[in-house]
Amino acid sequence: MNENILKQALLETADDMILKQYSDCENIDFIPTNSFKKKIDKLCKNYDKVSFKLTYTRARKAIVIFVAVLVIMLSSLTVGAVRDAIANFFVTHFSNHADVTYKEPSTKSNQYPKTIEKVYELKTVPKGFSLADCSITDASADTIYFSDDGQIVLQQVVKEKFNESIDNENSIITYETINGQDYIVQTSKISKDISFIWDNGEYVFSLTASLDKDSIIDICENLRIKK
């Protein structure tokens, strides 16, 4: 919800809400004290002064705005994103997706490539698959293999540029260590696709394939530098 719209709505309806709540006050059994009467009389006299009207209006609006902002802040805390620190990644969970970013400490920031200096590919292409495309930029390399039954997509990204959104509504996200390597694993609920995200020390890799899990792990463990 737009913050300005919420503020304006509260400003325009606050008085009506208060009046409506206490519109039946004549039925309340209330006997004011003399002190209370004096304070009310003084308040009524002051209300006729322009300065009071201005300061009262500003104060009331300031309070309403403060309450509106407070509501927004509390709402963001209760329904906002939850972030997990997994191996060298931050995984930020939202209602319908999760953002994965690299988080290696700054002390190691100069120990990995800033551009794609070498391109990795599958050491062994599974039977039935063939290379469909390989696209290389300074920050990433995408290699795609197709078959009649599915696909294999290998993405290699410079660490500081890695930022990927993954579906968490139609898939299950787990964190696994396999043969000493940490992986973020995304298993689709609606297809045969399984995705692995990992850091090999130089680059971040993402591999998605419509294969069984053991076959995908074997691919991840046996990439080679493209000749």
Side-chain angles (χ1 to χ4, degrees):
M1 179 180 290
N2 186 285
E3 181 179 334
N4 291 328
I5 294 176
L6 178 56
K7 292 177 182 177
Q8 186 61 34
L10 284 171
L11 289 174
E12 293 178 358
T13 60
D15 289 342
D16 291 339
M17 292 170 60
I18 295 171
L19 291 174
K20 183 177 179 181
Q21 183 176 356
Y22 296 103
S23 60
D24 195 31
C25 61
E26 65 270 13
N27 296 323
I28 300 175
D29 186 14
F30 172 70
I31 301 176
T33 63
N34 291 331
S35 175
F36 178 82
K37 288 180 179 179
K38 291 180 180 179
K39 290 180 181 179
I40 291 298
D41 289 340
K42 182 178 180 180
L43 187 63
C44 291
K45 290 178 182 178
N46 286 334
Y47 185 78
D48 291 332
K49 298 179 181 178
V50 175
S51 60
F52 178 84
K53 292 180 180 180
L54 290 174
T55 55
Y56 171 76
T57 302
R58 291 171 183 165
R60 178 172 58 81
K61 288 184 177 181
I63 291 171
V64 171
I65 292 172
F66 172 77
V67 172
V69 172
L70 184 61
V71 169
I72 292 171
M73 292 175 63
L74 291 175
S75 298
S76 65
L77 289 174
T78 56
V79 300
V82 176
R83 188 170 72 169
D84 293 333
I86 306 298
N88 291 333
F89 300 95
F90 278 131
V91 182
T92 308
H93 301 273
F94 297 90
S95 60
N96 58 359
H97 74 283
D99 287 340
V100 183
T101 54
Y102 190 75
K103 74 162 188 69
E104 188 165 16
S106 58
T107 54
K108 297 183 178 181
S109 61
N110 296 320
Q111 299 180 17
Y112 53 78
K114 302 300 181 181
T115 61
I116 298 295
E117 299 175 359
K118 50 191 174 184
V119 177
Y120 285 80
E121 64 180 1
L122 273 61
K123 182 177 181 180
T124 302
V125 179
K127 185 178 180 179
F129 286 86
S130 59
L131 179 65
D133 184 57
C134 182
S135 176
I136 304 170
T137 68
D138 287 341
S140 67
D142 298 297
T143 306
I144 303 175
Y145 303 82
F146 278 133
S147 75
D148 292 337
D149 298 325
Q151 62 181 356
I152 300 173
V153 179
L154 174 64
Q155 184 180 45
Q156 171 188 343
V157 186
V158 172
K159 290 185 178 184
E160 63 184 18
K161 300 293 185 181
F162 181 77
N163 189 338
E164 183 167 341
S165 292
I166 55 180
D167 176 20
N168 60 9
E169 284 189 305
N170 300 305
S171 62
I172 299 172
I173 300 173
T174 57
Y175 314 110
E176 304 181 30
T177 300
I178 303 170
N179 297 329
Q181 175 66 59
D182 295 321
Y183 295 96
I184 297 172
V185 183
Q186 177 192 10
T187 305
S188 175
K189 298 178 182 178
I190 58 177
S191 72
K192 296 189 297 182
D193 287 349
I194 303 175
S195 300
F196 279 66
I197 297 174
W198 75 100
D199 165 25
N200 81 333
E202 293 181 302
Y203 301 98
V204 175
F205 291 87
S206 171
L207 189 143
T208 300
S210 47
L211 298 169
D212 64 87
K213 188 173 181 179
D214 289 340
S215 296
I216 297 174
I217 293 171
D218 184 65
I219 292 174
C220 294
E221 293 179 340
N222 291 284
L223 298 181
R224 69 179 181 183
I225 299 173
K226 187 175 182 178
K227 298 177 182 179

